[in-house]
Amino acid sequence: MSFQNPVFIPGPTNMPEAIRKACDMPTIDHRSPLFGKILHPARAGVKEILKSQTAEIFIFPSTGTGGWETALTNTLSAGDTVLAARNGMFSHRWIDMCQRHGLNVQIVETPWGQGIPADRYAEALAADKEHKIKAVLATHNETATGVKSDIAAVRAAMDSANHPALLFVDGVSSIASMDFQFDTWGVDVAVAGSQKGFMLPAGLAILGFSPKAVAATRTAQLPRTFFDINDMTKGYANNAYPYTPAVGLMNGLLLATETLLKEGMDNVFARHHRIAAGVRAAVDAWGLNLCAATPDLYSDTVSAIVTPEGFNATSIVTHAADKYGVAFGVGLGEVAGKVFRIGHLGSLTDVMTLSGLATAEMCMVDLGLDIQLGSGVAAAQDYYRNSTGLALKDAA
Ligand SMILES: *Cc1c(COP(=O)(O)O)cnc(C)c1O
């Protein structure tokens, strides 16, 4: 692996130098007003990125997976029913976590490559007259398949059934890269992690809780200690944590939120869309398809590219690392060996992306696929030259 090349995995993402440096700081007293000057503005920045007026922001020294656990254990009790679609590895793992916590998961099995079927959620919710379903889970962006789901449609399904369940959204690979509307979508818990759209090292679980979700902690019986949001709230009131916070990462998060908000979230989303559209132009020129079934499902943060029958897609990833020092993502679970993934989120420019596409082409040709060198790169170049979308001219 080369430290000079960008990575094209869908997290951890490339880090802007200034944000990386912001994580490297001297020891400070983590129970002092000085820490408060990092903690509170970082939380305010996250809240603005979530487009929320009302969310309580919690930041744990953890990862996205810990964020899932925070959502569940603070709001639910063993035996509660939750509704969840399984359409990829990440939604699968969240379901698995629910089951290990003794929750009863009503699983909506969904083909990998499809989004959350809001109509089937609507049916399940309408049929649940006794309101046994306490929470509805939605993975906004299935990182395994490169599929974006329509969270507004999930909320509409809940509203049409007049259902009081909480709405939990995994936004680990969408928040800070793709539009996320906490308040408008009526999200109750949003889960993010530091190492994707926030362009930081792994190590923080970042969450927003609605007032309704905070209130659910009063009846929720699942055991929780490390991830207890009420302990966290008490700590925050004293510029502190119930334990030792990851101060350097928090300082990085503060700069990351400032950097994103300065670029402007609409510009951040436009940049991700533009870069993704160039990648998709390349995939099309290669004569390959995405795992995502239809264009409305295409993720702007990761593309899972299906390789021809009989070809092991993972060999592209291994070869890229061995020969060119470049990282792509392997296929996970059901699509292992069938897809390879290009992560295109976080700190990335058109020019960086072109280098990844060129590398993918070299690998595919090296491994005997019938691909014309330069074909995908040319298609992306053409798109980037002519696109009026924003480029990242003033990249951090
Ligand atoms: C990366 C990811 C996770 C897991 O996050 P970790 O930080 O690895 O624990 C969960 N959900 C989605 C959609 C992800 O992309």
Side-chain angles (χ1 to χ4, degrees), residues 2-21:
S2 157
F3 287 127
Q4 295 298 319
N5 293 330
V7 294
F8 296 95
I9 45 178
T13 61
N14 301 293
M15 290 183 276
E17 200 57 14
I19 292 179
R20 193 166 72 82
K21 284 181 177 152

Side-chain angles (χ1 to χ4, degrees), residues 181-242:
Q181 302 181 30
F182 190 94
D183 287 359
T184 307
W185 296 341
V187 175
D188 290 299
V189 182
V191 180
S194 50
Q195 79 276 27
K196 301 196 182 174
F198 288 105
M199 307 172 287
L200 289 159
L204 298 177
I206 301 165
L207 295 107
F209 269 64
S210 73
K212 185 174 160 187
V214 171
T217 61
R218 290 202 286 269
T219 50
Q221 296 297 316
L222 281 179
R224 53 188 181 274
T225 307
F226 188 82
F227 292 120
D228 192 307
I229 62 163
N230 292 324
D231 289 351
M232 201 53 112
T233 299
K234 279 184 214 144
Y236 288 170
N238 297 313
N239 300 315
Y241 267 50

Side-chain angles (χ1 to χ4, degrees), residues 10 63-66 68 90 139 141-143 170-173 193 195-196 202:
T63 70
T65 305
W68 287 341
F90 292 91
T139 299
N141 189 72
E142 220 338 317
T143 317
D170 173 345
V172 179
S173 63
Q195 79 276 27
K196 301 196 182 174

Side-chain angles (χ1 to χ4, degrees), residues 19-369:
I19 292 179
R20 193 166 72 82
K21 284 181 177 152
C23 298
D24 177 2
M25 63 183 295
T27 304
I28 62 163
D29 178 3
H30 60 281
R31 300 182 190 279
S32 69
L34 186 56
F35 177 61
K37 287 188 182 144
I38 298 170
L39 170 69
H40 299 302
R43 291 173 64 227
V46 170
K47 188 167 165 174
E48 194 172 339
I49 288 169
L50 291 180
K51 295 191 178 166
S52 180
Q53 302 291 326
T54 55
E56 282 295 328
I57 306 301
F58 298 102
I59 301 161
F60 292 89
S62 181
T63 70
T65 305
W68 287 341
E69 193 149 324
T70 304
L72 304 179
T73 57
N74 280 280
T75 57
L76 300 171
S77 304
D80 280 354
T81 298
V82 302
L83 179 68
R86 174 155 51 200
N87 64 336
M89 200 61 191
F90 292 91
S91 44
H92 166 71
R93 284 189 187 149
W94 203 6
I95 288 169
D96 174 55
M97 178 185 279
C98 290
Q99 291 169 332
R100 293 195 205 190
H101 277 290
L103 299 169
N104 168 34
V105 191
Q106 195 171 324
I107 302 173
V108 178
E109 294 292 355
T110 306
W112 289 35
Q114 294 286 351
I116 296 169
D119 52 341
R120 289 173 63 201
Y121 270 25
E123 277 168 32
L125 292 161
D128 179 35
K129 299 283 180 234
E130 291 168 38
H131 295 164
K132 285 212 168 82
I133 297 170
K134 299 299 178 204
V136 172
L137 273 50
T139 299
H140 185 202
N141 189 72
E142 220 338 317
T143 317
T145 56
V147 164
K148 166 187 70 178
S149 283
D150 184 348
I151 304 303
V154 171
R155 167 47 68 192
M158 296 172 71
D159 289 350
S160 72
N162 231 329
H163 203 290
L166 296 161
L167 173 58
F168 298 166
V169 182
D170 173 345
V172 179
S173 63
S174 60
I175 288 169
S177 308
M178 284 157 52
D179 192 20
F180 194 95
Q181 302 181 30
F182 190 94
D183 287 359
T184 307
W185 296 341
V187 175
D188 290 299
V189 182
V191 180
S194 50
Q195 79 276 27
K196 301 196 182 174
F198 288 105
M199 307 172 287
L200 289 159
L204 298 177
I206 301 165
L207 295 107
F209 269 64
S210 73
K212 185 174 160 187
V214 171
T217 61
R218 290 202 286 269
T219 50
Q221 296 297 316
L222 281 179
R224 53 188 181 274
T225 307
F226 188 82
F227 292 120
D228 192 307
I229 62 163
N230 292 324
D231 289 351
M232 201 53 112
T233 299
K234 279 184 214 144
Y236 288 170
N238 297 313
N239 300 315
Y241 267 50
Y243 35 77
T244 316
V247 176
L249 284 174
M250 299 285 300
N251 197 47
L253 179 63
L254 172 56
L255 184 61
T257 58
E258 287 169 351
T259 305
L260 288 161
L261 291 166
K262 189 162 155 237
E263 185 180 353
M265 293 318 293
D266 287 344
N267 296 338
V268 171
F269 305 146
R271 171 166 58 83
H272 279 82
H273 180 73
R274 170 194 166 89
I275 286 175
V279 171
R280 293 192 282 261
V283 172
D284 196 47
W286 294 332
L288 298 176
N289 291 318
L290 293 176
C291 181
T294 49
D296 56 308
L297 300 171
Y298 292 168
S299 163
D300 282 344
T301 62
V302 54
S303 295
I305 299 153
V306 182
T307 52
E309 271 300 312
F311 180 86
N312 178 11
T314 304
S315 65
I316 294 174
V317 179
T318 314
H319 186 74
D322 288 350
K323 187 161 179 197
Y324 301 110
V326 170
F328 295 108
V330 295
L332 301 171
E334 248 179 55
V335 291
K338 296 181 183 158
V339 308
F340 75 102
R341 293 176 299 154
I342 299 182
H344 36 79
L345 74 165
S347 180
L348 211 58
T349 63
D350 297 355
V351 170
M352 289 159 83
T353 309
L354 288 170
S355 74
L357 297 173
T359 309
E361 275 177 1
M362 290 193 285
C363 292
M364 290 190 284
V365 172
D366 290 348
L367 296 168
L369 285 184

